[in-house]
């Protein structure tokens, strides 16, 4: 089956889960820890849960300068997948991020803070 999307859910330099989305919509999530905070898909292996994860790693849709941020990212529409592919889902208030297949980034190269 063809893979549509593949990424690691990272905490700093540690992969805590590996997610694959297949062409038929099937989603797999291999978790490497039992810590509930490290569960990227707590609402199940479905499109809604995946969308929730991706959107939770984005700036809010209603942010005052959202259009400017989208433009800076080279995007014309607010699409969570498009945003996290550009930002790796980095947030200033935690150490989680998304490393998509083929990305060789290291935490020390992309972190927003220590």
């Amino acid at each position: 089956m063809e893979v549509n999307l593949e990424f690691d859910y990272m905490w700093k330099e540690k992969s805590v889960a590996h997610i694959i989305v297949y062409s038929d919509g099937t989603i797999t999530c291999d978790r490497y820890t039992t810590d509930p905070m490290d569960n990227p898909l707590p609402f199940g292996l479905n499109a809604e849960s995946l969308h929730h994860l991706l959107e939770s790693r984005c700036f809010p849709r209603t942010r005052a300068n959202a259009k400017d941020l989208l433009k800076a990212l080279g995007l014309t529409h607010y699409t969570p997948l498009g945003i996290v592919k550009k930002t790796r889902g980095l947030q200033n208030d935690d150490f989680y991020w998304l490393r998509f297949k083929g990305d060789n980034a290291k935490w020390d190269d992309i972190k927003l803070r220590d």
Side-chain angles (χ1 to χ4, degrees), residues 11-87:
W11 187 82
K12 293 187 175 183
E13 196 58 37
K14 179 183 173 186
S15 176
V16 296
H18 184 78
I19 298 169
I20 301 175
V21 180
Y22 295 94
S23 56
D24 70 350
T26 302
I27 300 171
T28 62
C29 178
D30 294 324
R31 292 184 58 209
Y32 308 126
T33 173
T34 57
D35 186 331
M37 294 299 294
D38 292 339
N39 185 358
L41 301 171
F43 306 113
L45 298 177
N46 55 58
E48 184 178 344
S49 186
L50 178 65
H51 180 79
H52 176 77
L53 166 65
L54 298 177
E55 191 156 17
S56 75
R57 305 307 307 169
C58 296
F59 54 86
R61 290 176 183 270
T62 56
R63 187 171 166 158
N65 65 340
K67 287 183 182 181
D68 295 331
L69 293 173
L70 289 172
K71 185 176 180 180
L73 292 172
L75 301 171
T76 57
H77 295 78
Y78 187 100
T79 58
L81 180 57
I83 293 168
V84 297
K85 280 191 170 183
K86 300 276 186 164
T87 66

